[in-house]
Amino acid sequence: MKIQMKTPLVEMDGDEMTRILWKQIKDILLEPYIDLKTEYYDLSLDERERTKDQVTIDAANANKRLGVAVKCATITPNAQRQKEYNLTQMWKSPNGTIRAILDGTVFRKPIMVKGITPCVRNWEKPITIARHAFGDVYRDSEIRVNQPGIAKLIFEAESGEQIVEEIARFTGPGVLQGQFNKDDSIESFSRSCFEFALSSHQDLWFSTKDTISKTYDHRFKDIFQNIYDREYKDKFESAGLEYFYTLIDDAVARIIRSKGGMIWACKNYDGDVMSDMVSTAFGSLAMMTSVLVSPEGNYEYEAAHGTVTRHYYKYLQGEETSTNPVATIFAWTGALKKRGELDHLDDLIAFANHLEQATLQTIEEGEMTGDLITLFHNPQVEAKKLNSRQFLEAIAKRLLVLQVTKA
Ligand code: NAP
Ligand code: MG
């Protein structure tokens, strides 16, 4: 009998190559074992266009209602995509919309396998990036200036008080950007980081550019320090863990020289960029887990990479592609494990662990997608390049063994 679920997962389907992998993962790895219960939202660009992006908002609200979601990579349209997909609007990034509704923090951690060593030789343990998922440049307002004039930053309080800061005097064309963040979002960001550090028993580093941004970034630094001193100092000390703040320039240098094994908390943009750098240095963008944890305890699991457009165009021409599905598989296993924890379904948790184990074992035994071939080095094992489907089937073989020996 298949594994039964209680509460449905929120399933957010996506675009291009990852949409193809999504279906294959369900067909080859999940549905043979699980009576998969999901509330399905199609976040493909066509469907976002058809619903005027309402489907993204509905999916995020479903995530709030049901607690756990799994999301496929989606296209964030730019001008070129607007033409390609005949869009009435350049719809916002679905991840941005979902994060704005859920708030919270994105934790990204490289998936380490034997045979693939990080580019940075001294990294022995994974580095988890904790990315604030609200505000800053992701919720900014921008103006293209076309003529001379004065730009001002104005805050109008409900009380009638006004604060006005001159930003710049333009003598010719230029650009302008307004950003914001909120104390309560930064507070919950800090708490998710402190909680995650304690529960995963890792040190926590936090960095911003407070020497340059003396009000904005400095506020982040102060909030972290206040919450740490008030709520977490004792817990960290008794767990033998460390929290410290440092300037982002210094953090970058120290991270590179470190052995890894810490959580590095970053503002929204820093976290976006640094997680790509860290995952690539650990091996590949496709070898990284990513989960959004909201302050109310809602979880959204996803892959950190995009829709792999270049491979999709090849796929459309009938070519077999060797696209790496590992991050998308781990999005599913993360979501299934969390659902299993919340609903007390031990067999679902065990299944998800087996699927992760089978995936890593497949690579460690030399069967992998093209992106990993050049990175893999183990004198005892010959690396063989598989296409995506063959790779999923190679995992399925090992999964079957694990599931059967367990029973
Ligand atoms: P991408 O899809 O991450 O791919 C960039 C390149 O990285 C690929 O061409 C490929 O390199 C390699 N790569 C990434 N994932 C891979 C995988 N699973 N297996 C093998 N190789 C992989 O980024 P992009 O091409 O810049 O963006 C494509 C679309 O994704 C855009 O429309 C963007 O808006 C969207 N996007 C979505 C998300 C999200 O939903 N979370 C995140 C980022 C981007 P090679 O070509 O050298 O093989
Ligand atoms: Mg990114």
Side-chain angles (χ1 to χ4, degrees):
M1 200 180 87
K2 288 190 188 182
I3 299 164
Q4 297 298 307
M5 295 175 63
K6 277 188 201 151
T7 318
L9 280 176
V10 180
E11 176 183 354
M12 307 181 186
D13 207 345
D15 290 298
E16 299 193 314
M17 206 56 223
T18 39
R19 187 181 179 91
I20 308 294
L21 293 176
W22 192 260
K23 170 95 174 34
Q24 291 180 345
I25 290 168
K26 284 171 66 179
D27 289 348
I28 299 172
L29 298 175
L30 303 177
E31 286 181 326
Y33 296 97
I34 310 172
D35 209 348
L36 206 57
K37 232 182 175 177
T38 73
E39 206 172 286
Y40 180 85
Y41 293 85
D42 184 0
L43 301 197
S44 67
L45 197 45
D46 287 331
E47 191 60 15
R48 280 181 272 150
E49 167 71 18
R50 196 186 66 79
T51 62
K52 307 216 170 318
D53 211 23
Q54 185 59 39
V55 65
T56 310
I57 296 164
D58 292 346
N61 286 326
N63 198 163
K64 277 190 141 172
R65 177 165 40 83
L66 294 172
V68 186
V70 56
K71 180 182 171 293
C72 180
T74 46
I75 293 171
T76 299
N78 53 17
Q80 179 217 332
R81 297 296 201 161
Q82 187 170 14
K83 234 197 231 152
E84 181 185 353
Y85 282 81
N86 224 335
L87 305 176
T88 52
Q89 259 188 59
M90 255 192 260
W91 303 108
K92 291 199 167 198
S93 147
N95 288 322
T97 303
I98 294 165
R99 285 170 199 154
I101 293 173
L102 290 180
D103 197 350
T105 305
V106 178
F107 293 94
R108 288 189 171 166
K109 181 178 174 187
I111 301 163
M112 291 183 82
V113 290
K114 245 183 276 143
I116 298 177
T117 37
C119 302
V120 182
R121 264 171 294 140
N122 40 285
W123 285 356
E124 290 166 8
K125 292 183 197 160
I127 295 166
T128 302
I129 302 274
R131 169 182 171 191
H132 187 206
F134 178 82
D136 303 347
V137 71
Y138 300 84
R139 292 283 296 273
D140 71 346
S141 309
E142 303 189 345
I143 296 175
R144 167 84 172 99
V145 173
N146 286 315
Q147 54 191 318
I150 304 174
K152 290 177 184 168
L153 192 60
I154 301 174
F155 175 73
E156 288 174 343
E158 278 180 13
S159 65
E161 188 199 342
Q162 263 206 3
I163 305 173
V164 182
E165 274 281 327
E166 183 178 313
I167 300 171
R169 281 167 193 262
F170 286 87
T171 51
V175 281
L176 261 173
Q177 182 182 64
Q179 295 187 27
F180 72 95
N181 223 301
K182 296 181 177 177
D183 279 13
D184 57 3
S185 177
I186 304 168
E187 278 165 22
S188 60
F189 169 42
S190 74
R191 285 199 184 88
S192 341
C193 292
F194 291 127
E195 291 291 338
F196 198 82
L198 288 170
S199 73
S200 62
H201 201 80
Q202 298 179 90
D203 289 340
L204 177 67
W205 302 18
F206 180 44
S207 62
T208 72
K209 191 73 180 175
D210 68 295
T211 46
I212 300 299
S213 174
K214 290 184 165 51
T215 304
Y216 197 108
D217 280 17
H218 203 91
R219 186 72 198 138
F220 280 76
K221 174 182 175 179
D222 285 348
I223 287 177
F224 264 70
Q225 197 60 51
N226 291 341
I227 296 211
Y228 178 72
D229 291 341
R230 270 207 317 265
E231 299 171 28
Y232 290 99
K233 195 165 190 284
D234 295 345
K235 290 181 196 161
F236 267 62
E237 280 172 5
S238 56
L241 294 175
E242 192 183 10
Y243 163 70
F244 67 87
Y245 173 87
T246 186
L247 197 63
I248 188 153
D249 319 42
D250 179 52
V252 168
R254 286 165 73 163
I255 285 284
I256 294 292
R257 290 196 308 265
S258 77
K259 289 196 157 87
M262 74 291 282
I263 300 166
W264 180 13
C266 293
K267 286 176 62 198
N268 209 346
Y269 173 82
D270 299 340
D272 185 355
V273 177
M274 291 306 162
S275 68
D276 282 6
M277 189 200 68
V278 167
S279 64
T280 307
F282 268 102
S284 154
L285 259 188
M287 297 295 286
M288 172 161 248
T289 63
S290 178
V291 56
L292 171 69
V293 183
S294 89
E296 288 110 65
N298 298 311
Y299 296 79
E300 186 230 339
Y301 293 84
E302 55 165 16
H305 59 76
T307 58
V308 211
T309 312
R310 206 180 66 82
H311 295 207
Y312 182 60
Y313 291 157
K314 282 192 174 171
Y315 169 87
L316 289 181
Q317 289 171 350
E319 266 180 66
E320 281 292 351
T321 71
S322 184
T323 317
N324 188 336
V326 171
T328 308
I329 294 173
F330 274 66
W332 275 100
T333 54
L336 290 169
K337 267 195 260 186
K338 182 52 76 177
R339 202 59 274 169
E341 252 174 55
L342 297 172
D343 291 346
H344 309 288
L345 301 170
D346 290 343
D347 50 351
L348 193 62
I349 298 175
F351 170 82
N353 284 324
H354 286 157
L355 177 49
E356 289 184 359
Q357 200 184 324
T359 304
L360 301 183
Q361 211 181 314
T362 305
I363 299 170
E364 285 170 0
E365 290 171 6
E367 299 188 278
M368 63 198 77
T369 47
D371 56 319
L372 300 182
I373 289 282
T374 48
L375 305 169
F376 188 84
H377 180 75
N378 180 346
Q380 273 96 52
V381 180
E382 200 193 329
K384 203 169 108 204
K385 176 179 167 178
L386 305 182
N387 66 41
S388 302
R389 173 170 287 278
Q390 292 167 331
F391 180 62
L392 292 172
E393 278 159 2
I395 297 171
K397 260 195 324 213
R398 291 165 176 92
L399 176 61
L400 179 66
V401 175
L402 290 169
Q403 282 294 102
V404 168
T405 49
K406 167 216 80 167

